[in-house]
Amino acid sequence: MQISDIFVLRHCKPITSKPMARLNLLEETRYEKLPVTVYSDQNAAAVAVAKRIANLIRKKDAAGQQAVLGLATGVTPIKVYAELVRLHKEDGLSFKNVITFNLDEYYPMKPDAVQSYVTFMNENLFDHVDINRANVHIPDGTLAADDVAAFCLAYEKQIEELGGLDLQILGIGRTGHIGFNEPGSAPNSGTRLVTLDDLTRRDASRDFGGKQNVPTKAITMGIGTIFKAREIILMAWSAKKAPIIRKAVEGEMSGEVPATFLQLSDNVEFVLDVDAASDLTRFDTPWLVKDCVWDAPLKKKAVIWLSGAAGKPILKLTEEDYNTHGMAQLAVEQGPVYQMNIDIFNQVQHTITGWPGGKPGADDSQRPERAEPARKRSIVFSPHPDDDVISMGGTFIRLVDQGHDVHVAYQTSGNTAVWDDDVLRFVEFAIDFKESIGEDASKIKGIYEDMRQFMAVKQPNQIDSLEIRDVKGFIRKTEAISGARYAGVPDSNIHFQALPFYETGKTQKNSVGEEDIRLTMELLQKVKPQQVFTAGDFADPHGTHIVCFHIVIESLRRLRKTESWVNDCWVWMYRGAWQEFPTHEIEMAVPLSPAEVLRKRNAIFKHQSQKDRPVFPGDDAREFWVRAEDRNRETAQNYDRLGMAEYAAMEAFVRYQF
């Protein structure tokens, strides 16, 4: 059973089927303490939410009333707003009877700042519909500190005088905050000035050009204010939100996770895509809440889970372990359990290979990769200039060592992730070198002075000048070349695509265009690979990795229509420095010796601009090489606990069927 194939109705929704079906559904969702609707993807979910908002607006308009909406910002509601704009332009949905109150705003914050929620709402909704601007209310980030309290009281009073919010839409932060009600917020809190959690500021750092530029405070509606809405919809997309969603839906109410207070409301619904719902019990461990259809993937997942839950290697699991841990159905239907243990053990063992390009002349029926052709053309697509060595550096080096024709394609320049002082350092080097060989450096000196003047007044997240962007790209290019050469790749096999979608100079990138696809198709046609390695990071649907992944897959799909070699091309997904595939999903695990771990580390060290203090480190304080080694070691330890051979480290891959 694949989670992507599941569409789940909200558990409290009236069901017209037989009473037994109703009971089964309630049993399946018994861990969930509030209503949850799960959609196949975020697009379908966003369209459904937008339709409900549109129906409310039209219903109120037909009754001669105004619709009072509580609106949210951030990535989550963007597609909802896009659908509302479409409904306005194509279906005549009018916003003339709509009054809006936004949840929050950074403090201090100028309304015309790129990061302000005024700018966000204008760009994503208000500038594209016929709303009366006098009906738009957003907390004022320009207030004097002494005036904030009075403003917050007035904000509450305005909502009350209108009879309260008809509908409040929410996102959820990884701290569990709704609005900016951070951990510690009271369930009866009102609109107020709050201090932002450090994780919240780290998550916002890309928008501000670094965490140091993110405001430490915000004005937010309180949980008590939100509760008064006649209808509340909390939305969440992507696996990145799955852990906090599980806490909010299934956890105990606590001020440490403010969203859990929504369990007290009779008017709330969580609207999720399948990835955000993936940690809920009915999806993560469905055997605990219902009888399952035990296909091979689910059986493998369950037995591996049982091994961890019982604290035993797979081959030591007993029938009592199955019964004690809620898996009696599996034992009865698929037993005897010892034979099942052997089957799953063999499946896991057969994912392990020291030959990621296939072992020549060997029986490959029990190996992840084909033995033939013995020398494969392999291409590693690296979204950023260091993802290749961080994510699969050991496998990369081994493919080269084993004689395969290995290419690497750096899909983007990575030029937004270099510190300004590195730019000055490299330009200073260029000036000194030019002068050392007797050439005139006056032009470079002029550019250098312009750079320094620009940087002296540069605003957070301001687009760099073209010259600065170029130098940042050159820095990352030379580092990537150095890393690839260290792995043994010849210069002729190192490709820099600098795909156009990325080259905006901003952290916000353009949509993928035909030129991105064309460039990738040309490279694939040139190499004609039997193996493609590409980043399979889907936790952040707006990240560079997933965009680059879709470009590769779309290019292969188009080529398959005319090129026969594509039918023999296998696509292997790897993951980045932040997460790894669950053990039950891994289809190829490449073990690394201590010496190979060191070689991988040295390859990562070639990316000096990303070492010690990267511009965008995420919420993990560890350096990239440390993260990679810890992750690879943990993967090996997971295999060891299942009863496999003990290795120093492992890199993991999942095959993608396109």
Side-chain angles (χ1 to χ4, degrees), residues 382-383 409-415 473 477 495-503 515-516 519:
S382 183
Y410 298 104
Q411 293 173 277
T412 71
S413 67
N415 62 7
K477 181 177 181 179
H495 311 278
F496 289 89
Q497 294 188 286
L499 295 177
F501 85 89
Y502 185 91
E503 300 303 313
E515 185 68 3
D516 300 301
L519 290 169

Side-chain angles (χ1 to χ4, degrees), residues 292-310:
C292 297
V293 178
W294 291 104
D295 61 9
L298 186 62
K299 183 166 66 172
K300 181 180 179 183
K301 178 181 181 180
V303 173
I304 290 174
W305 173 86
L306 178 60
S307 174

Side-chain angles (χ1 to χ4, degrees), residues 340-394:
M340 185 161 47
N341 294 345
I342 292 173
D343 177 48
I344 300 302
F345 179 89
N346 288 336
Q347 288 183 41
V348 176
Q349 189 177 54
H350 293 157
T351 66
I352 304 171
T353 181
W355 299 84
K359 187 174 183 179
D363 174 14
D364 61 8
S365 61
Q366 303 297 330
R367 293 180 180 274
E369 252 293 358
R370 303 148 291 174
E372 302 298 332
R375 185 174 187 264
K376 291 185 175 64
R377 293 182 302 275
S378 303
I379 184 166
V380 177
F381 281 97
S382 183
H384 301 101
D386 56 354
D387 287 318
D388 54 339
V389 290
I390 289 174
S391 303
M392 55 168 291

Side-chain angles (χ1 to χ4, degrees), residues 5-189:
D5 297 329
I6 300 172
F7 179 85
V8 184
L9 292 173
R10 192 175 74 176
H11 80 272
C12 68
K13 192 173 183 177
I15 299 172
T16 57
S17 57
K18 297 178 181 179
M20 183 58 69
R22 187 182 306 115
L23 288 173
N24 289 342
L25 188 57
L26 290 172
E27 179 71 9
E28 181 181 334
T29 60
R30 69 177 185 268
Y31 286 100
E32 297 168 21
K33 300 176 181 179
L34 43 73
V36 176
T37 305
V38 183
Y39 288 86
S40 58
D41 58 64
Q42 62 175 282
N43 294 320
V47 168
V49 172
K51 182 178 180 180
R52 289 171 62 176
I53 295 172
N55 288 343
L56 171 64
I57 293 172
R58 287 173 171 143
K59 180 181 177 181
K60 287 283 188 175
D61 189 49
Q65 300 173 348
Q66 293 176 310
V68 185
L69 305 179
L71 301 182
T73 52
V75 171
T76 302
I78 286 177
K79 291 189 176 181
V80 174
Y81 296 150
E83 176 63 10
L84 288 173
V85 171
R86 188 195 69 78
L87 290 171
H88 168 70
K89 293 182 177 180
E90 298 180 14
D91 292 356
L93 176 66
S94 175
F95 286 75
K96 290 181 179 179
N97 72 315
V98 174
I99 300 175
T100 66
F101 289 86
N102 263 75
L103 276 169
D104 43 32
E105 176 62 282
Y106 290 108
Y107 181 85
M109 178 60 63
K110 296 179 180 179
D112 58 353
V114 175
Q115 301 88 355
S116 82
Y117 289 159
V118 174
T119 298
F120 176 94
M121 292 305 305
N122 287 338
E123 290 180 349
N124 288 284
L125 182 62
F126 297 147
D127 284 350
H128 311 286
V129 297
D130 59 346
I131 194 167
N132 182 345
R133 291 296 178 139
N135 290 340
V136 171
H137 304 85
I138 300 175
D140 188 350
T142 67
L143 294 167
D146 292 342
D147 296 332
V148 172
F151 172 86
C152 292
L153 289 173
Y155 205 71
E156 294 268 343
K157 187 176 180 181
Q158 285 179 298
I159 296 173
E160 291 174 3
E161 288 176 347
L162 290 166
L165 300 170
D166 292 307
L167 171 63
Q168 174 68 63
I169 62 171
L170 301 170
I172 184 171
R174 288 193 296 152
T175 64
H177 70 239
I178 48 177
F180 274 133
N181 292 282
E182 298 284 17
S185 297
N188 61 347
S189 55

Side-chain angles (χ1 to χ4, degrees), residues 1 6 30 43 107 232 275 425 428 535-536 564 577 638 658:
M1 177 176 60
I6 300 172
R30 69 177 185 268
N43 294 320
Y107 181 85
I232 303 168
D275 291 327
R425 182 164 59 89
E428 287 161 0
S564 60
N638 289 339
F658 66 95

Side-chain angles (χ1 to χ4, degrees), residues 63 113 116 253 257 332 416 424 434 461 464 469 555 595 635 641 645:
S116 82
M253 277 190 296
V257 183
V332 171
T416 61
L424 297 180
K434 217 167 179 30
N461 233 24
D464 287 322
R469 297 204 304 271
S555 299
T635 301
R641 282 189 284 267

